[in-house]
Amino acid sequence: MKSLLLSVVSRLGALLVALPLAISCPPQAHGQTLPFATQQQIDSVFARWNNPTSPGAVLGVVHHGHLVYQRAYGQANLARQEPLTTAHRFWVASMAKQFTAASIALLAEQGKLGLDDDIRRYLPELPWLGDTVRIRHLVHHTSGLRDGFTLIGLTLRGERHYTNANVLAMLRKQRGRNFRPGERHEYNNGGYVLLAEIVARVSRQSFAAFTEQHIFRPLGMTHTRFEGQLSAAIPHLATGYAVRYPHGQPRYHAAHFRGHTVGSSGLVTTLADLVRWDQNFYQNQLGQRRPELLQLLLTPGRLTDGTSTGYAFGLEVTPYRGQPAITHNGTDPGYQAEIVRLPRQQLTLICLANTQNLYGLTQQLFRLAEQLTPAAFDPRPAPTTPDRPRADLAGIYLEPRSLATVRILTLRDSTWHAAASTQGYARPLRSTGPDNYVNQGLGEYSYAFGRAENGPVQELRYRERSAAATLHKTAPATLTPAELRGFAGRYYSPELNQQYRLTVRRGQLRLSLYRLVHVPLQPLAGNRFLADLQGHNCLAFQRDQAGTLTGFTFHREAINGLIFRRR
């Protein structure tokens, strides 16, 4: 009797805890107004995760202000065999940026800051690097500052050191930058940490408290909060999972971001709350409730030369097949998230996942949108005759200014493959015409090769929605053992306060980490080497007038010209 009573009390307590979630989230079984065949099409996209041995995702479809379809697929916790529901909470990684940018816009509306203010007015501890970095530069990823998170990562101290305080501390030590403010668009997580710090200092509240008071509470987003760090204390949180593929089969293990940060990430939310956020873009309920706030949030920034960045206030604003489209995804260990909004159709698709293997999620949601409103989109181009594989496409293509982007083209079984680092996944490509390719499957990445008057290939123009780069074909180098040994040694970066050690092992120059991991370096012409360490990296070595090797500069995404001196 006692055990039964305890069981009843326990179940009642769990029901009372879950009740607010059930009230705030539209019932999963009601309001499904899509035709059954359309529901089946949607469900087929997520079928591989909809089983008791896999984490999964929740999906919501909003049309003309109504949640016309919602469903959960897979498990919230594999160990407990807890199925996902549409009421579960998720860590949404970089999707958080739109709320950070909205906080800046609200403070601007209140007259408490200006978008053209020098960020050092609020962050005086940051160094002067030769040009004024303005708040709008941080919003639109055009500041030219190095990414504080990447700098922390290069110290090799682990993810727990990813905190807002450490980002600020690392940026205080910088004596160089990636480019002049406004010159280029380069995604920068650390810039949004700086925005969150500005919000806190200007409002004299914690960033979490400001967003709660000025965004989440006014919109009724009662299950959304900038937690900063994941913990078991967060109620109704879906457990995140990373995946490996031994023998080609997925194997999941619990994983999550172990840092503690807000601004660039750090947000936990639900499907129902994001529906409320989405609907605010049609009738503003925030701040002074003026439509001008929405217009600001949706206006992409521009570079100094007037070129649009395609990036507004934490939102990508880029057309898709003739339709205006607003998106932003998020990926951190164990989690993925995406919102795709098509304002002319008043159609939004929201997906929150507790696994990292929903590959091509943004494009998948666009494809679902096409099925829901097919007449709205421009027709797809007619199929073209595939181009015959041309052997001279093979090689290494490097972005010449920053050295931070590479594509490596290889031909296997008559199919071209493109990798974004020396050891990275090689995507199979399909031809769309002479010297033009897209990735097989969803086709969201395009590759256009340029030749010199129908001669040899010289460059590759790569595009992924608003992101584009022109890469130059770069010759590999063959070095003798003696030449390789000439690069070996210890190199120190004062801006990182970190030493790197290069050694020669098994005929290759390698970056040796703690004498345990030895990352091979691929030599290129011009004393440059490629390394795959959590993605693409390039080391460009310098010599003095006497020919003596003095050090190298380090380059990767959001890091340009970081100096290492030879010791």
Side-chain angles (χ1 to χ4, degrees), residues 293-368:
L293 179 69
L294 300 181
Q295 183 179 358
L296 177 63
L297 296 181
L298 296 173
T299 300
R302 293 193 175 274
L303 302 181
T304 304
D305 65 6
T307 304
S308 174
T309 63
Y311 197 95
F313 274 59
L315 295 164
E316 292 187 56
V317 182
T318 306
Y320 177 79
R321 290 188 57 202
Q323 288 296 323
I326 302 159
T327 66
H328 207 294
N329 65 8
T331 302
D332 266 339
Y335 295 93
Q336 285 179 261
E338 178 62 279
I339 293 182
V340 168
R341 182 183 304 114
L342 299 160
R344 285 183 186 169
Q345 283 67 49
Q346 293 193 38
L347 174 67
T348 299
L349 292 93
I350 303 169
C351 184
L352 307 177
N354 64 330
T355 178
Q356 290 180 259
N357 62 343
L358 271 72
Y359 305 122
L361 178 58
T362 305
Q363 192 69 14
Q364 290 279 18
L365 296 185
F366 273 124
R367 290 292 180 91
L368 289 177

Side-chain angles (χ1 to χ4, degrees), residues 354-485:
N354 64 330
T355 178
Q356 290 180 259
N357 62 343
L358 271 72
Y359 305 122
L361 178 58
T362 305
Q363 192 69 14
Q364 290 279 18
L365 296 185
F366 273 124
R367 290 292 180 91
L368 289 177
E370 291 180 52
Q371 295 174 16
L372 293 166
T373 56
F377 297 92
D378 289 346
R380 290 188 174 277
T384 58
T385 303
D387 190 25
R388 60 180 176 82
R390 304 187 186 191
D392 65 342
L393 299 186
I396 298 169
Y397 297 81
L398 187 65
E399 202 283 316
R401 287 191 302 176
S402 68
L403 308 180
T405 303
V406 73
R407 290 297 180 271
I408 300 170
L409 271 289
T410 54
L411 184 64
R412 301 203 304 262
D413 300 325
S414 300
T415 298
W416 285 109
H417 293 72
S421 61
T422 55
Q423 304 296 320
Y425 170 67
R427 300 179 185 276
L429 308 181
R430 59 180 172 85
S431 172
T432 59
D435 288 336
N436 283 269
Y437 292 80
V438 297
N439 59 299
Q440 292 183 13
L442 297 174
E444 67 267 43
Y445 310 112
S446 67
Y447 305 77
F449 296 88
R451 298 179 179 273
E453 298 182 359
N454 296 319
V457 171
Q458 291 187 324
E459 67 178 26
L460 165 61
R461 295 182 297 279
Y462 169 80
R463 175 172 290 278
E464 177 191 356
R465 281 184 56 73
S466 62
T470 298
L471 316 179
H472 291 186
K473 195 168 188 180
T474 304
T478 301
L479 302 180
T480 67
E483 289 172 325
L484 288 175
R485 287 194 295 272

